[in-house]
Amino acid sequence: MLTEALLDEARGIAGRITALRRAIHAEPELGLETPRTLAKVRAELADLPLEWREGPSCTGAVVVLNAGKPGRSVLLRGDMDALPMDEETGLPFASTLPGRMHACGHDTHTAMLAGAARLLAARAGDLAGEVRFMFQPGEEGYHGARFMLNDGLLDPLPEAAFALHIMPNAPHGMIGSRAGTLLASADMLDIAVVGRGGHASMPHDTRDPVPVACEIVLALQAMVTRRFDAAEAVVVTVTQMDAGSAHNIIPDRAQLKGTIRTLSAGNRGAVAQAIRQVAENIAAAHDCAAEVTITEGFPPTVNDTRAVALAEAVATALPDGAFMHMPAPIMGAEDFSYVIAKVPGMMAFLGVAEAGADWRHCCAIHSNKMLVDETVLPRGAAFLAGCATRFLERGWE
């Protein structure tokens, strides 16, 4: 069976996959500029017959494998950027750069994608069509996929696209996903409550924005639960509140910041309108003003049903393979959503908890203590390579 052979071959290059992951992990880079990470990928793949494409907007690259046989085209994606946080894992290859850590697993995504490229390059003579490997920076809020699309690096668009994201608090080796919406949109919320400051002992001579801001925070929670169907998850979370400079001064302004998560374009627009209505009218009731700014982030990540069926077939064909159909979306967000909004495709999750561990108690992504069982990485590389191979051979059959 092809998928079993791919896994055997992936285990044969496990040392290379792990070494690349550790090298990237030790030197994490942020945002759209990840030149050292890309250089490590280039060095790892330098001996393979690949065409490299880069654009002006970021350090992303699309690497093309095409042996000249006409056929379909498929894209596999891995992200390269890290998070701005200090690492506390104690690993011998922990981040050497203060305030930076690969706490979302992008180092593993890149390493597995490079492994898939090596697996498929070894079979290039048997592949009819083209495989593209998208090494993308700027996933952590920087819209790297959108920049690469705008730079034309994916043109002409492939016929299918697949991505894999690790999950450290999920069963060892489990691959899971769902058809339809997998992840939410993520928009940023800023509300400035503008009043009139003064002495804290004479609040009646001011228009104190602080209690108004507090009232808005509470009202937003009620707004979500009373104006949106609980079956169609909407999350509005205020995460920052900033006001004042001393214990006896009422400030002129109070600033609120937070995040908005929705699962549909309709709710995305409706919740933005409702937030403005709530904030502006509460502020007006207290003779203050509210300045609401909503900055659009990633759209929802919506998986194609055919792509999920293909991924399930590949996952279950792996030795000891299984596929978990997720019952509900996750309210996190992903900028792979930009790609599969234009190309039929899907993202899956790969459980990387240590074999036999109580995965429910493992540190999750974005934890500075997050750990990965690296023995799972060859399975991820084989899965990606299997998705590409199956699509080139059968399309959506």
Side-chain angles (χ1 to χ4, degrees), residues 190-215:
D190 289 89
I191 302 174
V193 181
V194 183
R196 185 174 71 246
H199 201 288
S201 67
M202 294 175 281
H204 57 282
D205 290 332
T206 73
R207 294 295 179 264
D208 189 349
V210 175
V212 178
C214 294
E215 189 173 331

Side-chain angles (χ1 to χ4, degrees), residues 29-31 34 79-83 102 106 136-140 142:
E29 296 177 288
L30 305 178
T34 57
D79 36 11
M80 300 189 291
D81 58 320
L83 285 161
H102 271 291
H106 296 185
Q136 180 216 307
E139 193 283 325
E140 294 292 349
Y142 291 87

Side-chain angles (χ1 to χ4, degrees), residues 95-115:
S95 173
T96 58
L97 302 175
R100 299 182 180 187
M101 178 190 173
H102 271 291
C104 198
H106 296 185
D107 52 340
T108 67
H109 303 166
T110 299
M112 289 187 292
L113 183 59

